[in-house]
Amino acid sequence: MKLIRCLLTENDCYRTKRTIQPKGVMVHSTGADNPNLRRYVQPVKGGDGDYAALMALLGWNKNGNHWNRPGLDVCVHGFIGRLADGSIASVQTLPWNHRGWHAGTGTSGGSANNTHISFEICEDALTDPAYFKTVYREAVELTALLCKEYGLNPLADGVVICHSEGYRRGIASGHADVEHWFPRQGKSMDDFRRDVAAALAPKPEPEPDPDPKPDPEEDDEMTYYKTLDEVPEYYRPTVEKLVEAGALKGTAEDVLNVSEDFCRTMTVLDRMGKLD
């Protein structure tokens, strides 16, 4: 997951400074064929983050219809879509515990605005499996991050839901997202919740190698003496003693191939009288 921060500080929702204790995550999609993050997210000079760096990442919205401006009645905590270079990323647009304007009021009179963190997935034409696969995975990872941050169980009832599920629960307005899109690509919100739970599951420790192989780099750095003549003088008396005793025979006639570590160890033992 690639997570960028560009808070919508000019949006009226941000300026309310109201907060919530997050109890869930609500998944939205934009309902328009425009997968580019710049359509919705733009930095402002003097606002949150490095203006030039964010503009380079996001690209310029020449129409000026982004959400980082006053006069709008909508604001979410994040977006997932394409950066200027075509890669997929997540952008945080509100503090996670800020009360967003994303769900509206449901038939119960309640609203997920008071309980759920929200993000929008930028839609394309809903027919590209490659785009869907990438933004779906990004959404899974972002949701897993939020569940971990706030101690949420994605499989618990009502914790991770989409806008249309919120409508059926009476805590969101009547929108179809994301159930108009996910099934077209062979996914459901139940799949999504399971994938989030899997992303949160502890990764198993790798099994220890029952027959570990020596580090080839270590082997390459070790010094070997092929013959007795190559053995340094301070090791040679001990190596000669081992050869004469028949304890060291080598691999062929006059070929010992003894390492410096071996020679050092045997010399220490010899000086301690252990080879007598």
Side-chain angles (χ1 to χ4, degrees):
M1 182 183 70
K2 183 174 185 178
L3 179 60
I4 299 162
R5 175 180 156 118
C6 181
L7 299 186
L8 304 182
T9 54
E10 297 300 302
N11 189 288
D12 293 335
C13 175
Y14 177 85
R15 293 180 173 183
T16 66
K17 302 297 183 182
R18 294 182 63 183
T19 60
I20 61 170
Q21 178 57 49
K23 297 179 181 178
V25 178
M26 180 171 277
V27 183
H28 300 264
S29 62
T30 54
D33 181 3
N34 191 335
N36 298 307
L37 286 164
R38 65 175 175 263
R39 161 62 180 86
Y40 304 96
V41 186
Q42 293 279 271
V44 293
K45 291 182 179 178
D48 180 66
D50 183 324
Y51 176 82
L54 287 169
M55 284 298 291
L57 282 170
L58 294 163
W60 176 49
N61 181 333
K62 63 182 180 181
N63 297 316
N65 58 347
H66 55 82
W67 287 16
N68 199 3
R69 55 194 174 97
L72 301 177
D73 61 359
V74 62
C75 197
V76 290
H77 297 83
F79 283 87
I80 293 172
R82 281 193 181 131
L83 293 170
D85 65 3
S87 64
I88 301 300
S90 303
V91 183
Q92 181 184 0
T93 50
L94 286 175
W96 301 128
N97 68 340
H98 192 97
R99 184 182 184 275
W101 293 350
H102 60 93
T105 302
T107 54
S108 70
S111 175
N113 290 342
N114 300 316
T115 52
H116 283 61
I117 302 169
S118 59
F119 63 84
E120 296 268 5
I121 306 173
C122 294
E123 293 183 12
D124 63 351
L126 311 184
T127 57
D128 183 351
Y131 177 75
F132 176 81
K133 181 179 179 180
T134 309
V135 293
Y136 177 88
R137 189 64 208 171
E138 187 81 6
V140 165
E141 293 180 4
L142 177 58
T143 305
L145 179 149
L146 295 170
C147 287
K148 184 176 181 180
E149 175 75 17
Y150 290 99
L152 305 174
N153 177 3
L155 299 178
D157 183 55
V159 173
V160 174
I161 57 176
C162 67
H163 195 143
S164 53
E165 289 178 318
Y167 172 68
R168 292 197 295 273
R169 288 173 174 270
I171 57 171
S173 57
H175 286 203
D177 54 325
V178 295
E179 292 178 324
H180 71 303
W181 183 12
F182 279 26
R184 293 191 186 195
Q185 299 296 336
K187 289 290 186 179
S188 68
M189 279 303 295
D190 286 336
D191 293 325
F192 184 82
R193 285 181 277 269
R194 284 191 291 266
D195 289 339
V196 172
L200 285 167
K203 302 299 183 288
E205 293 292 329
E207 291 292 329
D209 188 346
D211 184 22
K213 304 297 185 293
D215 186 341
E217 292 186 4
E218 283 188 12
D219 288 349
D220 290 344
E221 293 174 0
M222 191 174 295
T223 301
Y224 284 85
Y225 307 117
K226 185 175 181 181
T227 66
L228 186 60
D229 290 340
E230 292 180 6
V231 176
E233 290 184 7
Y234 40 92
Y235 297 142
R236 194 175 299 164
T238 297
V239 176
E240 286 177 340
K241 180 185 292 188
L242 292 170
V243 171
E244 290 171 1
L248 183 61
K249 297 182 178 180
T251 58
E253 186 177 355
D254 296 329
V255 177
L256 297 177
N257 271 342
V258 289
S259 69
E260 184 175 20
D261 286 351
F262 173 83
C263 293
R264 184 185 300 114
T265 301
M266 291 299 106
T267 299
V268 171
L269 291 174
D270 191 21
R271 290 173 181 172
M272 295 172 64
K274 301 296 183 180
L275 302 184
D276 293 334

